[in-house]
Amino acid sequence: MSNSLFCSKCGMMKNSCICKNSNSLNKNSNVSSTKTPKITESAEIPDSYSISDHSLPKNIINQMKKGFPNIDDQIIENFPFENPREGQLEIISDINEAIEDGFKYIILEAGTGTGKSGIATTLSRMYESAYILTMTKQLQSQYANEFGFPLVKGRGNFYCLQDDLDSTCDIGTCKTTPSSKNFFCPYGVGKNPTLGATEAFEDSFGGPIFFQSDEHCHYWQQKANSINSPITLMNYDYAILELNYVKHFAPRNLLILDEAHNIENKLMRSMELNLYNKSLQNDIKKSITPNIVKQGDIKDWIMEVDAIKDAYNDIDIKDLPKNKAERINSTTRRLKQLKENLEKEPKNWVIDPNEAGVSFKPLRVHQYAKDYLFKHGEVCLFLSATILSHKMFSKWLGLKPQEVYHIKADSPFPPAKRPIELKIAGKMSANRVKYTAPKTLPILEEILKRHKNDKGLIHTNSYKCQEYITKKMPSGRLISHNSLNRERVLDHFEKSKDPLVLASPSMSEGVDLPYDKCRFQVIYKVPFPYLGDKQVNMRKKRDQRWYAYKTVMTLMQAYGRGMRAEDDSCYTYILDGDIRMLFKSPMYKSLVPEFFKEAIIERD
């Protein structure tokens, strides 16, 4: 296997092999944070998606029509699988009727196993114009691999042809040449066609964009293919930037928002602005005014933001590299928007200054969600296993009850396949964790012994708890990660045949670990949002229900990581005594789903 693409030691691709930087992954290992981007060559760029090319054979479609006479033909003709799951076609029919009845916002709350991706694919094909947004690269890859949808990626994933493939497109010649220089890239695109140029795509304004030659930049080729496809995959960060500012992609009939329970957080982070004194000094030779940091009110901060904006606006960018000029323009634009938001809704913003600078974070996004995201689809379909309360969810996103249609489908997995055992060590709250943590160690040792041949996941909820476990536990099976190497360690964990146990504070969602990839998991600490965060603290003071909602939602997401199919199984243990409060407090109890409660077993 000497010619294999994968390392024989760690199982990862050789160009991002762990073994280069670390002899092994042991209980205290933190894999080198150096990231090697996965570069997409032209041969790997998918063509524009064709709905007809991905249809089932006619004989299969005809068989399905006979088997489901009450389902509309259009649904069956666009369904991607030969054998639908129980209730799957009925859910699609229900959503389609809601769209025909004029509902713009449809929430599908469907547990793992109901086949949400197949539902999304069928509706995307039916309406022939859709964006599918996902939170993680793993989910993007699942959609792309299973259904053949084009996935639009950033410049850093492609080599620059102009630089003879020596650099990626994010630092290629077209991004590092000053705007004042007369630079022409024969591989790129432009609004003014050269002789014999072919049209690449139409932007959102209907204007044609042309390739400059027959040999196309790989980045622009995949983007053109994605724009020209009736169905396109994006992640939320790329979509928010692209749809609102670049505007090459036009609005479509259907906007499908997967992992929708995270939309509020994603919008909050996209609107958040951090100003660092070090960057300000480099850009405009200015720092945040010290007196405002100490005792400035909202009016002072508005004036400060306006002054910083004007300073950025005065920068002469014509001789700057284009990528730096774009960053300056982006910062100016964001400062202008922040000033307007602070003036319009001063009480909706958390201003958190420190020695390094200042951060501005919104408390709610109900006023912004439609303009930032929802307006880019005629109909918005929200998909999640954990909406918990569609009324709260709608309110926090600024949606009116009469605009929203809600469908709920519980997970079909029997409780016996996904049991939850309470092995309480004590309360793990901030003032109790130092007393309880030592009591968790023998419990963890017992769990690891019981599952000595199984891979498992420990949800620590914080790096502090993760560090405590990995330092105190003598097991060589334990591995961990830091904030920089999470993806690489997760990849190693998934591919390894050894019974590894991954201790992590950030695997509660966006991670798919079916079958032997995860046979048991531990909820070490109930995932209450961190009150040391000023934004979280103020939000909780204003709305206790929001804090309860976020806690239960994160817990439900963590619970679902290891149980992914009808013939799968995963055992879950809960060590934190605060779990009992979730079953007793009316505010929390009303949010905990029945499918979670029915899986709990208590042993002496």
Side-chain angles (χ1 to χ4, degrees):
M1 296 293 290
S2 60
N3 293 325
S4 172
L5 293 173
F6 298 95
C7 173
S8 60
K9 293 183 179 179
C10 69
M12 296 181 67
M13 289 189 71
K14 288 179 178 177
N15 67 352
S16 58
C17 171
I18 287 174
C19 304
K20 294 178 184 177
N21 302 303
S22 176
N23 292 328
S24 63
L25 280 172
N26 56 39
K27 64 179 181 179
N28 293 320
S29 68
N30 277 318
V31 179
S32 171
S33 62
T34 303
K35 295 184 178 180
T36 303
K38 183 179 179 182
I39 306 300
T40 304
E41 300 295 350
S42 58
E44 298 177 10
I45 297 173
D47 293 332
S48 294
Y49 181 82
S50 168
I51 294 174
S52 60
D53 288 349
H54 289 79
S55 297
L56 291 172
K58 286 187 178 180
N59 63 314
I60 299 296
I61 292 174
N62 290 334
Q63 289 177 13
M64 288 180 63
K65 287 180 179 179
K66 291 179 182 178
F68 299 92
N70 296 324
I71 300 298
D72 189 277
D73 285 354
Q74 190 184 14
I75 293 175
I76 293 176
E77 289 166 2
N78 287 282
F79 193 72
F81 304 121
E82 294 185 20
N83 299 302
R85 298 183 183 184
E86 183 178 353
Q88 200 173 20
L89 295 178
E90 288 76 11
I91 291 173
I92 297 169
S93 182
D94 197 1
I95 293 172
N96 191 48
E97 287 180 14
I99 294 173
E100 292 178 348
D101 288 341
F103 284 95
K104 178 173 173 59
Y105 305 107
I106 299 165
I107 299 171
L108 173 59
E109 183 177 7
T112 304
T114 49
K116 292 188 289 294
S117 61
I119 293 168
T121 296
T122 304
L123 290 161
S124 296
R125 292 176 179 177
M126 288 172 62
Y127 285 87
E128 301 180 337
S129 171
Y131 295 120
I132 300 176
L133 271 55
T134 67
M135 288 286 171
T136 65
K137 292 178 181 178
Q138 190 184 41
L139 287 172
Q140 286 177 314
S141 297
Q142 286 176 16
Y143 270 106
N145 295 335
E146 190 166 12
F147 304 110
F149 298 143
L151 168 60
V152 59
K153 299 179 180 179
R155 295 174 182 269
N157 294 279
F158 303 89
Y159 282 123
C160 176
L161 298 179
Q162 180 72 17
D163 283 352
D164 295 324
L165 305 181
D166 285 336
S167 62
T168 50
C169 290
D170 55 332
I171 54 172
T173 309
C174 67
K175 305 302 290 182
T176 55
T177 301
S179 302
S180 58
K181 296 285 182 69
N182 187 19
F183 171 74
F184 172 80
C185 178
Y187 310 107
V189 299
K191 293 185 177 181
N192 299 315
T194 56
L195 185 64
T198 58
E199 184 175 316
F201 57 87
E202 286 189 357
D203 63 20
S204 63
F205 305 103
I209 305 295
F210 298 92
F211 284 119
Q212 303 288 19
S213 69
D214 291 336
E215 190 171 1
H216 304 159
C217 167
H218 298 163
Y219 166 74
W220 282 111
Q221 182 66 70
Q222 62 95 38
K223 187 170 185 179
N225 291 350
S226 296
I227 293 171
N228 294 328
S229 293
I231 305 169
T232 303
L233 282 169
M234 297 183 185
N235 63 53
Y236 280 89
D237 292 323
Y238 184 95
I240 291 170
L241 176 65
E242 176 67 41
L243 297 174
N244 288 294
Y245 304 111
V246 183
K247 299 185 178 179
H248 282 148
F249 288 85
R252 294 192 177 177
N253 294 336
L254 195 58
L255 178 63
I256 297 179
L257 303 154
D258 208 350
E259 301 293 312
H261 55 275
N262 267 328
I263 289 174
E264 185 187 43
N265 283 350
K266 184 60 69 175
L267 286 170
M268 281 183 171
R269 284 194 289 271
S270 70
M271 295 178 66
E272 177 183 328
L273 183 60
N274 296 294
L275 297 175
Y276 299 105
N277 286 324
K278 185 176 180 180
S279 297
L280 294 176
Q281 283 288 348
N282 289 336
D283 289 342
I284 59 175
K285 305 297 185 291
K286 176 181 173 62
S287 299
I288 305 294
T289 305
N291 287 341
I292 295 179
V293 171
K294 292 180 180 179
Q295 55 190 17
D297 60 18
I298 186 66
K299 292 181 179 178
D300 294 325
W301 280 112
I302 291 172
M303 292 176 63
E304 185 77 355
V305 168
D306 196 34
I308 295 171
K309 173 187 68 70
D310 288 343
Y312 270 93
N313 214 22
D314 290 339
I315 297 175
D316 186 359
I317 63 173
K318 70 177 186 298
D319 291 324
L320 294 178
K322 192 172 181 181
N323 50 5
K324 185 173 182 179
E326 289 173 350
R327 181 181 63 79
I328 297 297
N329 285 333
S330 174
T331 302
T332 305
R333 182 183 67 241
R334 296 194 67 193
L335 286 164
K336 179 176 181 293
Q337 186 65 60
L338 174 64
K339 175 177 176 285
E340 293 173 359
N341 290 337
L342 291 174
E343 289 174 333
K344 185 178 180 180
E345 284 193 305
K347 293 183 179 180
N348 189 48
W349 287 82
V350 176
I351 302 174
D352 191 9
N354 54 55
E355 292 182 0
V358 60
S359 66
F360 300 86
K361 301 178 182 180
L363 284 173
R364 291 185 61 190
V365 295
H366 63 291
Q367 296 281 27
Y368 313 108
K370 290 183 179 180
D371 281 342
Y372 271 74
L373 192 55
F374 303 155
K375 72 177 183 182
H376 300 290
E378 288 296 316
V379 173
C380 296
L381 174 60
F382 304 89
L383 305 179
S384 176
T386 50
I387 294 296
L388 302 182
S389 168
H390 69 279
K391 292 182 179 179
M392 290 184 189
F393 174 86
S394 300
K395 178 183 178 182
W396 293 329
L397 291 177
L399 306 180
K400 298 176 182 177
Q402 62 269 25
E403 297 177 309
V404 178
Y405 188 84
H406 176 240
I407 303 167
K408 182 174 174 60
D410 288 330
S411 173
F413 304 154
K417 293 273 192 174
R418 47 180 179 84
I420 304 169
E421 184 175 340
L422 303 184
K423 295 185 74 68
I424 305 301
K427 293 189 175 185
M428 299 287 286
S429 52
N431 61 339
R432 295 294 305 168
V433 66
K434 65 181 179 180
Y435 304 108
T436 302
K439 300 176 184 178
T440 66
L441 298 177
I443 297 174
L444 287 173
E445 288 174 0
E446 178 191 338
I447 292 171
L448 265 62
K449 184 177 180 181
R450 183 187 296 186
H451 296 273
K452 62 182 179 180
N453 297 317
D454 298 329
K455 292 169 74 172
L457 182 60
I458 302 176
H459 299 281
T460 64
N461 194 46
S462 72
Y463 280 109
K464 188 174 181 178
C465 288
Q466 178 204 56
E467 183 181 9
Y468 179 83
I469 293 170
T470 54
K471 282 187 175 181
K472 296 292 184 179
M473 290 281 287
S475 174
R477 294 169 62 190
L478 276 173
I479 62 173
S480 62
H481 65 83
N482 56 40
S483 60
L484 298 176
N485 64 7
R486 176 186 180 275
E487 297 299 323
R488 297 181 66 196
V489 174
L490 174 60
D491 185 65
H492 172 76
F493 174 75
E494 288 190 74
K495 291 176 180 176
S496 176
K497 301 299 182 183
D498 297 325
L500 300 178
V501 180
L502 175 58
S504 169
S506 61
M507 297 291 172
S508 61
E509 59 184 286
V511 177
D512 192 14
L513 298 170
Y515 304 110
D516 289 341
K517 289 184 177 181
C518 183
R519 286 300 184 186
F520 74 97
Q521 53 182 357
V522 177
I523 308 295
Y524 187 77
K525 186 178 185 303
V526 174
F528 295 102
Y530 177 53
L531 289 173
D533 185 310
K534 191 174 180 180
Q535 182 187 36
V536 171
N537 202 313
M538 289 184 67
R539 184 72 186 270
K540 183 190 177 186
K541 289 177 180 178
R542 292 193 181 186
D543 192 348
Q544 291 277 350
R545 295 174 305 167
W546 172 85
Y547 191 78
Y549 179 92
K550 290 297 181 183
T551 302
V552 177
M553 183 270 289
T554 306
L555 177 63
M556 295 306 110
Q557 284 291 316
Y559 173 53
R561 291 314 93 205
M563 180 68 185
R564 312 302 295 175
E566 291 181 18
D567 57 344
D568 198 358
S569 63
C570 185
Y571 209 104
T572 297
Y573 302 89
I574 300 179
L575 276 57
D576 187 355
D578 283 323
I579 189 68
R580 299 193 188 281
M581 188 266 284
L582 271 63
F583 301 133
K584 294 179 180 178
S585 166
M587 189 187 311
Y588 286 86
K589 186 178 179 180
S590 63
L591 293 170
V592 178
E594 195 60 38
F595 76 83
F596 185 83
K597 297 175 185 175
E598 68 184 8
I600 292 177
I601 57 175
E602 294 201 48
R603 293 181 176 174
D604 296 333

